[in-house]
């Protein structure tokens, strides 16, 4: 393999099947790459059985301890009858495997479609499920997985973009804007009164599969300590009145199992701002992965940075607006 090739380029269909067969399965030569950029995920056909999902972790992102802790969290949620798609465990309970220099895990294939967030009945069910998830997530902290904070998601992201990626014609505007934005985020998020618990961490529509009238939560790769609202705000969309109606339905279900903290509503726009900053830096950090220039060709263009700065201006203004109410 070319010395400059990205490690993921060695994940050929033959390699993927060899890895799966190292766990005792017999593949039927059907291997389909699924949409995943941070890691690599494949559906692998298995003889006389349902296909498996094989997830190969990005080298260097998480430690073994952090991945295993994510898996254990999923196992514990399943034990409490929560609809979580957990990895498959071996005979000795192991779920993180090693093959050819990669770490990987196997999952059952879960059918379903994205939930309809406009359906208030669906939101009520989602609220109940997340209330149950958080009630257990609050019983103890993660020992190895990180906390969602302004330093790693905000300051580190801005530093990378400012030093290595922002175009010269946008440098001054970007630096001044992000300085004000980060100051506002620090004031909101560095508050000792915020409660942190174990969360899914990336609870958007793509990580919730709806089937038979119920949600199934997948991909806990971003699980971390965070305010509870982190798992709720990405389900809200549209104008303020619509978001308030959606939120009211979620909270009604949520409160049946875990007490919602209205004080966390002031964090919604701050968490949205961190996600915007972090996403831009995520694209930048992964630009040596051939999949990223291919799938995100608009990144690092004049148009992209102009729209990014406009989006950050809107977020700075949103931080000064009254929080959502229920």
């Amino acid at each position: 393999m070319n010395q400059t090739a990205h490690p993921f380029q060695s994940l050929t269909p033959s390699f993927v099947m060899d890895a799966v067969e190292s766990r005792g399965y017999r593949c039927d030569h059907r291997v389909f790459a699924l949409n995943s950029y941070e890691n690599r995920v494949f559906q692998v056909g298995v003889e006389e059985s349902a296909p498996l999902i094989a997830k190969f972790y990005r080298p260097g992102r998480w430690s073994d301890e952090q991945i295993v802790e994510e898996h254990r969290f999923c196992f514990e949620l399943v034990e409490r009858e929560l609809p979580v798609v957990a990895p498959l465990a071996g005979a000795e309970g192991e779920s993180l495997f090693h093959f050819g220099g990669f770490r990987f895990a196997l999952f059952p294939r879960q059918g379903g479609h994205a939930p309809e967030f406009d359906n208030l009945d669906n939101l009520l069910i989602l609220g109940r499920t997340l209330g149950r998830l958080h009630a257990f997530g609050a019983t103890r902290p993660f020992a190895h997985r990180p906390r969602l904070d302004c330093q790693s998601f905000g300051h580190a992201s801005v530093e990378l973009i400012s030093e290595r990626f922002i175009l010269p014609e946008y440098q001054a505007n970007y630096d001044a804007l992000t300085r004000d934005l980060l100051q506002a985020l620090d004031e909101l998020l560095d508050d000792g009164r915020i409660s942190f618990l174990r969360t899914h961490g990336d609870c958007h529509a793509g990580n919730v599969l709806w089937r038979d009238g119920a949600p199934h939560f997948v991909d806990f790769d971003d699980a971390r300590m965070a305010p509870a609202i982190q798992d709720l705000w990405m389900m809200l969309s549209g104008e303020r009145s619509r978001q308030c109606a959606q939120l009211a339905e979620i909270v009604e279900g949520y409160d049946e199992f875990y007490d919602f903290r209205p004080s966390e509503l002031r964090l919604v726009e701050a968490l949205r701002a961190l996600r915007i900053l972090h996403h831009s830096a995520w694209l930048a950090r992964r630009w040596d992965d051939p999949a990223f220039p291919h799938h995100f060709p608009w990144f690092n263009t004049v148009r992209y940075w102009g729209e990014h700065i406009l989006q950050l201006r809107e977020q700075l203004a949103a931080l000064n607006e009254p929080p959502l109410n229920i």
Side-chain angles (χ1 to χ4, degrees), residues 82-278:
L82 276 149
V84 167
V85 180
L88 299 172
E92 298 180 1
E94 73 280 14
S95 55
L96 178 62
F97 311 119
H98 297 77
F99 184 86
F102 283 93
R103 297 169 299 172
F104 73 101
L106 299 175
F107 296 79
R109 184 181 63 173
Q110 173 63 52
H113 56 83
E116 298 176 7
F117 289 156
D118 285 335
N119 185 318
L120 296 183
D121 289 337
N122 287 0
L123 293 178
L124 180 68
I125 294 171
L126 283 164
R128 287 171 177 159
T129 309
L130 286 169
R132 293 174 59 205
L133 192 156
H134 286 174
F136 176 69
T139 58
R140 65 175 182 272
F142 282 131
H144 301 288
R145 297 188 74 82
R147 171 181 287 202
L148 193 161
D149 59 33
C150 193
Q151 178 57 43
S152 57
F153 272 63
H155 289 272
S157 298
V158 167
E159 182 178 354
L160 172 68
I161 296 301
S162 180
E163 291 183 357
R164 295 175 48 193
F165 282 87
I166 193 71
L167 300 181
E169 55 264 44
Y170 288 119
Q171 182 85 54
N173 284 338
Y174 181 82
D175 288 347
L177 175 58
T178 53
R179 182 173 56 250
D180 292 342
L181 182 58
L182 289 173
Q183 181 179 347
L185 294 176
D186 284 336
E187 292 174 358
L188 279 167
L189 296 168
D190 291 347
D191 185 338
R193 296 171 297 175
I194 298 175
S195 296
F196 288 77
L197 48 74
R198 292 177 293 174
T199 64
H200 180 285
D202 193 26
C203 206
H204 58 76
N207 284 335
V208 183
L209 295 176
W210 198 268
R211 184 177 182 181
D212 299 328
H216 299 267
F217 291 84
V218 300
D219 194 5
F220 279 69
D221 196 63
D222 285 293
R224 65 186 64 234
M225 300 296 294
I229 196 70
Q230 171 65 10
D231 279 349
L232 306 181
W233 73 264
M234 279 181 263
M235 298 181 183
L236 309 177
S237 62
E239 299 296 326
R240 180 185 178 89
S241 60
R242 178 182 173 189
Q243 291 190 45
C244 288
Q246 293 169 333
L247 181 63
E249 204 70 21
I250 293 171
V251 170
E252 180 180 342
Y254 188 90
D255 274 337
E256 294 180 22
F257 296 95
Y258 192 66
D259 289 338
F260 178 76
R261 297 182 177 90
S263 61
E264 291 190 1
L265 291 174
R266 63 191 176 87
L267 303 179
V268 169
E269 295 304 329
L271 293 171
R272 194 191 312 275
L274 283 186
R275 187 173 179 84
I276 293 169
L277 292 171
H278 182 262

